[in-house]
Amino acid sequence: MSELEQKAVEILDKLEAITVNYAPDVADAALAAVQVSAVSEITARATFAAIVAICWFILLGFRKRVIGKINEGERGLEEHLFFWTAAAGSLLFVLSVMALFELSDVWTWVSLFNPELGLAHKVTGL
């Protein structure tokens, strides 16, 4: 065996020893990272959904106030009420659907409760 082959064998033996010693710790760290990532995604998506819900309440409060002013006799508010309610309502409807779809991502929930399967999904790229 040549000197170069001998060095390659030594390096491979050292790599094998490192892999055997540290593989369980690396695997545990990867699983924990997958769970933390899932919690982070769910938290961000739930925050987005909460912001959309708050905006719905603000829109409904705005609409109620404007209708109260219209009933009191103020003129010219009907067009503003229709425009702003339709525009904001349409936008909030789209954002609500997005929030529901984001929260219903199956792989995020799988990664949270079964990190091994979530890691396999991320590694395989399916």
Side-chain angles (χ1 to χ4, degrees):
M1 199 181 308
S2 72
E3 186 177 324
L4 184 59
E5 290 174 338
Q6 181 64 28
K7 294 243 183 221
V9 168
E10 289 174 15
I11 290 171
L12 288 174
D13 287 341
K14 288 180 182 179
L15 283 175
E16 181 182 0
I18 289 172
T19 303
V20 168
N21 289 336
Y22 295 107
D25 294 336
V26 170
D28 290 342
L31 294 176
V34 167
Q35 273 188 317
V36 168
S37 175
V39 168
S40 173
E41 288 179 28
I42 289 170
T43 303
R45 292 169 181 176
T47 302
F48 175 65
I51 290 170
V52 170
I54 290 168
C55 289
W56 272 112
F57 285 116
I58 290 171
L59 176 64
L60 293 175
F62 167 77
R63 187 175 182 279
K64 185 177 179 182
R65 255 194 340 246
V66 172
I67 288 174
K69 287 183 180 185
I70 290 171
N71 290 339
E72 290 174 1
E74 287 193 37
R75 299 282 179 222
L77 293 177
E78 293 87 359
E79 296 84 20
H80 294 291
L81 174 66
F82 176 76
F83 174 75
W84 287 110
T85 303
S90 299
L91 177 64
L92 286 175
F93 177 76
V94 170
L95 292 176
S96 298
V97 171
M98 287 174 53
L100 290 175
F101 275 112
E102 288 292 320
L103 276 174
S104 65
D105 181 26
V106 173
W107 283 109
T108 303
W109 292 98
V110 167
S111 296
L112 179 63
F113 295 110
N114 189 349
E116 293 89 359
L117 190 56
L119 181 61
H121 173 72
K122 287 186 180 195
V123 168
T124 60
L126 295 176

